[in-house]
Amino acid sequence: MTFDWDTRIERFWREADDTVPERMLATMRGLMEERPAEDPDALYEWASVHDFLGMEAQAIPLYESALRAGLSGDRRPQAVIQLSSSLRNVGRAEEAVRLLNAETSGGVTGDAAAAFLALALHSSGRPNEALSVALRALAGTLPMYGNAVTRYADELGGDSSPS
């Protein structure tokens, strides 16, 4: 049954349309009701639809609940990144920085944690650290000059990069 639910969740996101928020919320609510009340995957998906619809303030406690309930697998790093993004969007950038500093890059999200950390640092009034984080993430993808870009990032200061 989990596979069937996950397949329908994937289809939901492929067809996601923020111009029909009531329909999206109703459809996701129906999918959520198939799972136990504190199911971390369902809580994460419920948070995500709120976030997608620009309802970040409502998404934040839902993401937090999903993480507290033991969200794991590919959804966990996505939840941390999405929660951090929502926190930054509602003016709580320092909380986003703390969350993302504890997050590692890789897996399903690649360097997304570093990208969102750079945004949160910038919103926190720490532009040099933000640029440093962004350059470090970029340096690993460069076929040439990666070491030079890393040195420049080091000169900017701050070691606020997800490892």
Side-chain angles (χ1 to χ4, degrees):
M1 184 92 152
T2 298
F3 176 77
D4 182 45
W5 187 82
D6 286 332
T7 300
R8 287 182 287 131
I9 291 291
E10 288 172 17
R11 183 177 19 176
F12 172 88
W13 288 113
R14 275 194 311 273
E15 298 170 0
D17 181 355
D18 63 355
T19 66
V20 288
E22 297 82 15
R23 183 178 58 132
M24 289 199 59
L25 289 167
T27 302
M28 183 58 75
R29 186 176 296 110
L31 289 165
M32 275 195 59
E33 289 172 355
E34 296 177 18
R35 305 290 284 237
E38 293 303 311
D39 180 82
D41 292 334
L43 289 168
Y44 164 75
E45 298 296 344
W46 188 233
S48 295
V49 74
H50 282 79
D51 198 356
F52 178 79
L53 294 172
M55 303 164 72
E56 291 95 342
Q58 292 94 326
I60 290 168
L62 298 168
Y63 284 132
E64 292 169 336
S65 293
L67 290 165
R68 272 193 312 276
L71 187 65
S72 61
D74 287 349
R75 285 184 171 109
R76 192 204 153 287
Q78 293 174 72
V80 171
I81 290 168
Q82 291 169 210
L83 169 59
S84 299
S85 178
S86 291
L87 287 167
R88 184 184 76 84
N89 287 337
V90 299
R92 295 165 55 187
E94 283 298 329
E95 291 176 63
V97 168
R98 283 192 295 280
L99 244 152
L100 290 165
N101 271 329
E103 191 61 23
T104 57
S105 292
V108 68
T109 59
D111 284 330
F116 284 91
L117 176 58
L119 289 166
L121 286 164
H122 187 272
S123 294
S124 295
R126 297 155 62 183
N128 283 1
E129 286 179 71
L131 181 56
S132 178
V133 167
L135 288 173
R136 278 192 184 91
L138 176 63
T141 69
L142 300 174
M144 297 175 65
Y145 309 111
N147 289 335
V149 170
T150 299
R151 282 193 303 278
Y152 288 130
D154 291 343
E155 288 175 14
L156 290 167
D159 190 19
S160 296
S161 172
S163 44

